[in-house]
Amino acid sequence: MIKYILPAILLSFGCHQTIAQKKGCTDPQALNYDSAAKINDGTCTYAATAYLPKAVCPKLSDTMAESSGLIWYNNYFWTHNDSGNEPAIYAFDSTKGTIIHRTFIGNKTNIDWEEITQDANNIYIGEFGNNNGDRKDLKIYILKKSDIKMNRKSDTVTVSEIQFSYTDQISFTSASQNHNFDMEAMCVWQDSLHLFSKDWVDNKTRHYVLPLVPGIYSISPRETLAAGCLITSACTNAAGDKIILGGYSTSNGGCFMWMLWDFTSSNFFSGNKRQINIGSALTIGQYEGTAFKGNQIYITNEKKFTNAALWRMEIGQYFSSMKTIKASKFIVYQKGNELMIETKSSSGTIYIYNATGVKVITHKIKQSHTALSIEQLSTGVYSVEVNGVVQKVVIER
């Protein structure tokens, strides 16, 4: 009898393992969500989604008219200009657009600065703009934060540098906006710099990785994303579990944002990839800079079509993962034509968004148990945000 029982046990165990590790789309907001999937395989697809950023500062100082990168540091937004401008970074007032402080890089010029990013100790400036595809002097400058003297209106510092080249670039013949070796996007993730190419020919972006220390490096692409636009900026949140890529299309003037999350290690294109249409260059200009400030996204544009400006986006409703749901600090469920929300707080605000990110309900919390009428909502997946925490819920009819 035992010889029959053992194979049965092994077969049962094998089936259990197969079910427990099923791969598929794990995002409830996705069109192809698979509730049985336990491992995200990066195949999620999404409905076309549009979101128009809100202008926080409709006009930056003319000194920053070619804003090409953005970070939030020391309670200020910082930016810089691109090719041919002074070698400086600027801290500015986010509502008035006036310059609070400028730091000059005394030992460098600005050939074509296209991005800025940071870690705890340093600011990194991307001297790698390459519209013609013929540059062999690609660099990233390393500026120590401790060298910045914020008690002055301006100061001058010296920087060290990283030099690099692409292993996959063979030709250096000048081909203005007709090659795949331009670069305008970079962010720090854990212990490395991550660069994303601006591919003029195929509108893809290739992901490269560099150490955070000075040196001379030759880098190869790690992965490729069919972005469908020119990638001009990148940033990551403080937790390092979300990456934002921004850019625009030369074919129709549209501006776009790629939201990447639930990825495996530093293979950012292995997880969820959601594209958001954020308007036209005629409305928000040529989109060049992106930065997280807490859970909000801020962007800047060059003075082209419109003034250089600072914009804000609320994007928490778009992110969904099993981790987010488990970490939620409230309970939400449907009871007939009402959505029941139980919180630990008796104050704050509840926001409900539909699958395309449109806010459909706003409600001030008055007690820890809230019942919201959802008669006007159709069947689908909704994002419920309570005091900055987001959870997904399926409403059924």
Side-chain angles (χ1 to χ4, degrees):
M1 178 63 71
I2 293 177
K3 67 179 180 180
Y4 296 109
I5 294 175
L6 183 59
I9 293 174
L10 292 175
L11 179 60
S12 174
F13 178 76
C15 292
H16 174 73
Q17 288 291 91
T18 301
I19 295 172
Q21 297 190 17
K22 181 180 180 182
K23 295 181 179 180
C25 174
T26 59
D27 184 357
Q29 292 195 65
L31 296 174
N32 58 331
Y33 170 57
D34 183 352
S35 60
K38 302 302 180 183
I39 299 175
N40 188 1
D41 63 0
T43 60
C44 292
T45 58
Y46 298 89
T49 305
Y51 184 110
L52 187 62
K54 178 182 179 181
V56 177
C57 178
K59 185 180 186 302
L60 301 183
S61 164
D62 288 338
T63 302
M64 303 179 291
E66 295 188 40
S67 173
S68 294
L70 188 68
I71 59 171
W72 172 256
Y73 164 61
N74 201 18
N75 294 319
Y76 291 107
F77 286 106
W78 294 69
T79 190
H80 59 85
N81 292 313
D82 59 15
S83 57
N85 287 281
E86 63 183 9
I89 61 174
Y90 311 98
F92 64 91
D93 185 298
S94 60
T95 57
K96 299 177 181 178
T98 54
I99 295 174
I100 303 297
H101 177 87
R102 71 181 76 197
T103 293
F104 291 95
I105 313 302
N107 60 333
K108 303 297 177 183
T109 59
N110 183 345
I111 297 175
D112 196 0
W113 294 7
E114 289 292 354
E115 181 66 292
I116 185 170
T117 188
Q118 64 177 324
D119 59 19
N121 300 313
N122 301 308
I123 291 173
Y124 302 86
I125 303 167
E127 170 62 288
F128 44 46
N130 191 19
N131 280 341
N132 293 326
D134 57 356
R135 286 191 70 175
K136 295 184 179 181
D137 59 343
L138 305 173
K139 301 174 183 177
I140 297 167
Y141 299 139
I142 306 174
L143 189 166
K144 292 181 180 178
K145 289 179 174 178
S146 58
D147 288 344
I148 298 175
K149 304 297 186 293
M150 290 298 293
N151 59 337
R152 308 174 189 172
K153 290 291 291 183
S154 67
D155 60 358
T156 300
V157 302
T158 59
V159 297
S160 56
E161 68 180 32
I162 296 167
Q163 301 177 34
F164 69 96
S165 60
Y166 309 113
T167 59
D168 48 332
Q169 183 172 12
I170 300 173
S171 172
F172 290 88
T173 303
S174 181
S176 179
Q177 300 182 2
N178 191 31
H179 62 93
N180 285 335
F181 294 95
D182 205 351
M183 183 71 67
E184 294 193 8
M186 170 181 69
C187 65
V188 173
W189 189 82
Q190 294 189 356
D191 61 351
S192 301
L193 283 162
H194 295 262
L195 285 65
F196 303 89
S197 64
K198 180 183 180 183
D199 291 7
W200 290 97
V201 176
D202 59 21
N203 281 321
K204 296 180 180 180
T205 188
R206 286 161 295 126
H207 173 198
Y208 297 87
V209 183
L210 275 168
L212 290 168
V213 296
I216 301 174
Y217 304 95
S218 183
I219 55 177
S220 302
R222 173 173 294 187
E223 54 184 345
T224 301
L225 173 68
C229 61
L230 301 175
I231 296 300
T232 59
S233 67
C235 69
T236 182
N237 64 334
D241 60 354
K242 299 176 180 64
I243 304 289
I244 301 293
L245 303 181
Y248 60 87
S249 170
T250 56
S251 63
N252 59 17
C255 295
F256 302 93
M257 184 175 284
W258 279 96
M259 300 178 179
L260 313 174
W261 76 103
D262 205 14
F263 40 77
T264 302
S265 186
S266 60
N267 294 315
F268 303 140
F269 305 154
S270 67
N272 296 330
K273 302 170 283 290
R274 184 166 187 169
Q275 188 186 60
I276 308 295
N277 182 334
I278 61 171
S280 165
L282 296 175
T283 304
I284 64 170
Q286 184 168 300
Y287 171 24
E288 295 272 340
T290 311
F292 269 98
K293 179 187 173 186
N295 291 321
Q296 296 175 322
I297 284 290
Y298 288 79
I299 69 176
T300 56
N301 62 282
E302 288 192 8
K303 185 180 180 180
K304 187 173 291 185
F305 310 116
T306 67
N307 288 319
L310 178 70
W311 310 77
R312 184 178 69 238
M313 296 181 65
E314 308 285 349
I315 62 170
Q317 67 271 22
Y318 297 121
F319 292 111
S320 170
S321 71
M322 295 170 66
K323 295 177 183 177
T324 301
I325 294 172
K326 289 178 180 178
S328 295
K329 298 179 181 178
F330 63 93
I331 297 172
V332 55
Y333 58 93
Q334 182 179 354
K335 185 177 180 180
N337 287 326
E338 291 183 322
L339 201 61
M340 312 304 292
I341 301 173
E342 300 176 12
T343 67
K344 294 182 179 180
S345 173
S346 57
S347 63
T349 307
I350 297 170
Y351 300 104
I352 299 181
Y353 305 85
N354 65 19
T356 62
V358 176
K359 189 183 297 181
V360 293
I361 292 177
T362 299
H363 180 82
K364 290 291 183 181
I365 299 173
K366 297 180 180 179
Q367 54 189 11
S368 59
H369 296 268
T370 302
L372 294 179
S373 173
I374 53 173
E375 289 185 357
Q376 77 277 24
L377 302 184
S378 57
T379 297
V381 178
Y382 291 81
S383 300
V384 181
E385 180 181 348
V386 178
N387 297 334
V389 177
V390 179
Q391 185 170 205
K392 309 301 170 186
V393 62
V394 178
I395 292 177
E396 298 178 341
R397 294 300 184 196

